[in-house]
Amino acid sequence: MKANIATLIAVILGCCPLNAQQTGSGNNAGNVQIPERWSLFYQATSIGQYHGTFSSPYQGPLSFREYPERDVSLTSTFFLGLRLAKNTQFYFDPEIAGGKGLSGVNGIANAPNGELPRVQTATPKPYIARLYLAHDFGFGSEKESVESDENQLAGERPMKRYTVIIGRFTITDFFDNNSYTHDPRTQFMAWGVMYNGAWDYPADTRGYTWGMVHEFHTRNWSLRYGSIAEPNKANGERFDRRLLRDRGDVFEGERRYSLGSRPGAVRLLGYLNHTDSGSYGKSLCLASQTGATPDIDSTRHPGTLKHGFGLNIEQQISHDTGVFTRLGWNDGKTQDFAFTAIDRLGSGGVSVKGSRWKRRDDVVATSFTASGISGVHALYLTHGGLDFLIGDGKLTYAPEYVWESYYSARLFPGFSAAFDLQRVVNPAYNNDRGPIWIEGIRLHLEFGFKPGATK
């Protein structure tokens, strides 16, 4: 440990030469990666979005605004990785985020900008995004090669391994992954397509949490379990410390396969959230007795259980083309607490690289997402109830549909620009409002320092 720290200091001060790094494929055991001592990556992403006027006969406290809006978001992140021992790694990601979301990130369940949470101020603010340790317990002699990347040190890992991760992170770092839609900085930006919108994943306002993840990994399949801190209130910035009673438990099984030479994967996710949250049905009953507008916060109770499931499939169909789909469901009875107001979800799309038009680093992609809520949830909104990000004062229920397409062009190494177009039908499940066209431009910068190998 002391030797590793001394070596790191020497490298930073320029006392040690940086060795060239071999290249290889991330899951290819035949290509050997020289283990990195440390790595440092950086990213900055800015997203500007605009929408015009649309049909809006009425609106409530959390409605999407019917007049034109232009808003911009910005994030800037450093990704530091340090190898403490052969199979032990440490990651630290300081981040700055700022800017405003359209309508204060209210009024659309499948919100249009996945880079922007529902924070109180647009002023850029620094914070710790990730701070965690990861350790592999290996079984057998077979290895797999891992490339250098953000929060991933190059080197070899045991092909069959049990990994423990503990600290601060976003749980979506490890669950519900998809090669074609998982990162709003480079792929789709709408909340319900970048992740499974029906998974009310534990997180604070900015999307991060504290907890522990366990993974058992083999060549073709993986099993994961996470026990994660929940916020102390819906969309809250602080965490509930009563972890034996209030927490999120998430499970996932992943099966990787090939159809011919084309890789694919199927992931099945399940979750149990125990939170200090309310019930839509109880709030309606209470409102009927008092004659007041239903308020779900008035029925909050510690240890309230919410459960759900998700299916996630990806399949490469040619060298440049892949397709994906996600299906999601939750019980729809309990207050939406940390992510967004979706109880039912069906999403699918296609992603194509630009090799055919001699732009191999460009990507064009399109997706369609249908979102819904349970009957009691819709009745709560119909009577004027508010979720933490939707509420028009009344409701003519219809599923919310979002079609999103983007073209991302690499302008030079490490820098890309993308044009994004979204059409939102029945925003916040309200057939009386919309449709809405949302136009967006995304600029993304990333680069890394990869200093070389351990001895």
Side-chain angles (χ1 to χ4, degrees), residues 9 104 116 141 182 191 193 218 243 264-265 305 323 349 357 391:
I9 294 171
L116 198 65
S141 59
H182 191 69
W191 290 16
V193 65
T218 71
L243 297 178
L305 176 64
V323 295
W357 53 97

Side-chain angles (χ1 to χ4, degrees), residues 58-64 293-294 378-387 390-396 428 430 432-433:
Y58 58 87
Q59 56 183 330
L62 297 179
S63 292
F64 202 79
T293 300
L379 192 61
Y380 170 81
L381 295 173
T382 300
H383 285 79
L386 302 177
D387 269 324
I390 62 172
D392 294 330
K394 58 181 179 177
L395 181 71
T396 301
N430 198 338
D432 293 338
R433 306 183 78 243

Side-chain angles (χ1 to χ4, degrees), residues 62 104-106 116-120 191 205-206 235 237 388-389:
L62 297 179
V105 198
N106 292 320
L116 198 65
R118 297 184 69 254
V119 294
Q120 298 297 318
W191 290 16
T205 305
R206 295 189 180 277
N235 195 49
E237 296 181 358
F388 69 82
L389 81 168

Side-chain angles (χ1 to χ4, degrees), residues 28 79 93 95 119 121 128 147 164-165 174 197 208 214 218 230-232 264 282 377 441:
N28 188 341
F79 304 87
D93 299 355
E95 188 166 80
V119 294
T121 176
I128 296 174
E147 292 182 334
V164 179
I165 300 155
F174 311 108
Y208 299 98
H214 306 260
T218 71
E230 290 275 7
N232 61 2
K282 290 181 180 178
H377 193 170
I441 294 177

